[in-house]
């Protein structure tokens, strides 16, 4: 772990400890890029997962879209929330911060189920998260036709070319470290299918993954699967894979109806 990362964790821990004694404010803001013009597939999945989690906790907040949301974020990643003087970015730190404020989705969950939930969340990050990055940035057709134009749309030339190129290089290095950069599109789709199969079997016919109440896992699954099903990309690779699992599609529809009314059909 780098000193920079360690410093960020220490800062987050201090913020969470201080923030625990304060009530949830009325003016909490969730920041993300512009959804229609700018946000990319991986970022939208992450933003939607955090938004879903906050809704499941019954917390008040508003979404603000900014062209420079990534630069505003304390970690350089979206989404991030502003809660009073505190800025907290990405899914797990947001969950941890919300927990310190006294809001839990898993307060009564047994330890063995909590460990199982964490394992599924890790699987989603390692498979769906990497698959989204791969398809958005390393699939040449999608990268050139969709991701790069969207990522660079708010900048003047030559930044509109340089910044997407730099971001693609960063993603390629990350996926190489995770042994994903040399995969083929069919191999990536097979990874997604295996992940969906595991999720489908865990969900079975239940309303949520661990019974009658939602957890962080439900928020994360919805964020990723809803994004994969509804985002129109050349090839339509992921949509057809996810739609093979009818209970996952029905799960997304239930979450949408309960918390969003986003228009899943």
């Amino acid at each position: 772990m780098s000193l920079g990362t360690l410093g960020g964790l220490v800062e987050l821990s201090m913020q969470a400890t201080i923030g625990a004694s304060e009530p949830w404010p009325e003016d909490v803001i969730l920041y993300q890029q512009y959804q229609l013009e700018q946000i990319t597939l991986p970022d939208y999945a992450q933003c939607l997962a955090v938004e879903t989690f906050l809704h499941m906790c019954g917390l008040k907040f508003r979404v603000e879209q900014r062209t420079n949301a990534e630069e505003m974020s304390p970690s350089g990643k979206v989404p991030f929330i502003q809660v009073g003087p505190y800025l907290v970015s990405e899914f797990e730190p947001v969950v941890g911060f919300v927990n310190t404020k006294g809001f839990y989705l898993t307060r009564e969950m047994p330890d063995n189920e909590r460990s199982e939930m964490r394992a599924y969340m890790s699987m989603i990050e390692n498979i769906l998260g990497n698959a989204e990055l791969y398809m958005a940035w390393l699939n040449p057709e999608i990268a050139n036709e969709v991701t790069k134009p969207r990522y660079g749309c708010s900048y003047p030339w030559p930044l509109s070319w340089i910044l997407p190129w730099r971001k693609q290089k960063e993603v390629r290095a990350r996926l190489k470290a995770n042994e994903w950069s040399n995969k083929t599109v069919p191999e990536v789709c097979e990874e997604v299918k295996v992940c969906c199969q595991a999720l489908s079997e865990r969900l079975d016919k239940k309303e949520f993954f661990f019974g009658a109440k939602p957890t962080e896992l439900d928020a994360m699954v919805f964020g990723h699967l809803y994004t994969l099903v509804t985002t129109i990309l050349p090839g339509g690779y992921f949509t057809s894979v996810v739609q093979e699992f009818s209970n996952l599609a029905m799960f997304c529809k239930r979450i949408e109806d309960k918390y969003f009314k986003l228009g899943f059909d």
Side-chain angles (χ1 to χ4, degrees), residues 113-133:
E113 289 190 353
R114 195 185 306 274
S115 297
E116 185 181 0
M117 180 192 72
R118 302 295 299 178
Y120 277 99
M121 291 173 66
S122 178
M123 178 186 69
I124 291 169
E125 283 296 324
N126 291 332
I127 297 180
L128 298 187
N130 283 332
E132 290 156 2
L133 286 169

Side-chain angles (χ1 to χ4, degrees), residues 19-264:
S21 62
E22 302 170 359
W24 189 261
E26 295 287 323
D27 58 348
V28 173
I29 304 172
L30 184 150
Y31 288 97
Q32 65 172 60
Q33 304 100 326
Y34 278 91
Q35 186 167 315
L36 293 179
E37 303 93 348
Q38 185 185 14
I39 201 166
T40 64
L41 175 75
D43 286 345
Y44 182 51
Q46 297 292 338
C47 291
L48 188 55
V50 170
E51 191 173 349
T52 305
F53 170 74
L54 295 176
H55 281 309
M56 287 177 170
C57 290
L59 298 173
K60 291 184 177 180
F61 67 98
R62 72 177 191 273
V63 177
E64 282 203 11
Q65 301 180 38
R66 300 285 183 87
T67 57
N68 63 335
E70 198 173 52
E71 289 80 7
M72 293 169 60
S73 169
S75 69
K77 297 181 180 180
V78 292
F80 71 96
I81 58 172
Q82 181 177 6
V83 185
Y86 310 113
L87 301 178
V88 187
S89 61
E90 303 180 69
F91 187 85
E92 294 204 25
V94 168
V95 170
F97 184 85
V98 168
N99 289 167
T100 67
K101 309 292 280 186
F103 300 95
Y104 293 85
L105 294 179
T106 57
R107 185 189 299 273
E108 299 175 0
M109 178 178 281
D111 289 343
N112 64 315
E113 289 190 353
R114 195 185 306 274
S115 297
E116 185 181 0
M117 180 192 72
R118 302 295 299 178
Y120 277 99
M121 291 173 66
S122 178
M123 178 186 69
I124 291 169
E125 283 296 324
N126 291 332
I127 297 180
L128 298 187
N130 283 332
E132 290 156 2
L133 286 169
Y134 176 97
M135 204 64 75
W137 288 102
L138 300 194
N139 180 294
E141 184 179 17
I142 295 174
N144 294 329
E145 293 184 14
V146 180
T147 309
K148 288 182 178 180
R150 290 180 68 86
Y151 191 84
C153 69
S154 62
Y155 302 99
W157 192 89
L159 286 178
S160 60
W161 180 85
I162 294 173
L163 295 180
W165 174 83
R166 188 175 69 182
K167 180 70 173 183
Q168 185 181 50
K169 186 178 179 181
E170 292 173 359
V171 170
R172 189 182 301 277
R174 171 179 168 176
L175 293 179
K176 183 177 181 180
N178 293 333
E179 299 184 346
W180 271 72
S181 63
N182 291 327
K183 290 183 182 292
T184 65
V185 169
E187 287 173 340
V188 170
C189 290
E190 183 61 26
E191 292 271 11
V192 171
K193 185 175 181 178
V194 170
C195 181
C196 287
Q197 180 68 50
L199 292 172
S200 177
E201 291 174 1
R202 184 63 182 84
L203 180 63
D204 197 22
K205 298 179 180 180
K206 298 187 295 296
E207 182 176 2
F208 301 106
F209 281 90
F210 285 88
K213 296 182 179 180
T215 66
E216 295 96 300
L217 176 63
D218 295 278
M220 180 178 281
V221 170
F222 177 76
H224 285 275
L225 294 189
Y226 184 91
T227 299
L228 295 182
V229 170
T230 61
T231 302
I232 300 175
L233 296 172
Y237 302 103
F238 292 152
T239 301
S240 59
V241 172
V242 177
Q243 288 178 339
E244 292 182 30
F245 302 93
S246 59
N247 64 336
L248 295 181
M250 292 171 62
F251 166 82
C252 287
K253 186 68 168 66
R254 286 196 301 272
I255 300 297
E256 171 217 0
D257 287 343
K258 188 174 181 67
Y259 299 106
F260 287 96
K261 293 292 183 182
L262 288 174
F264 182 76

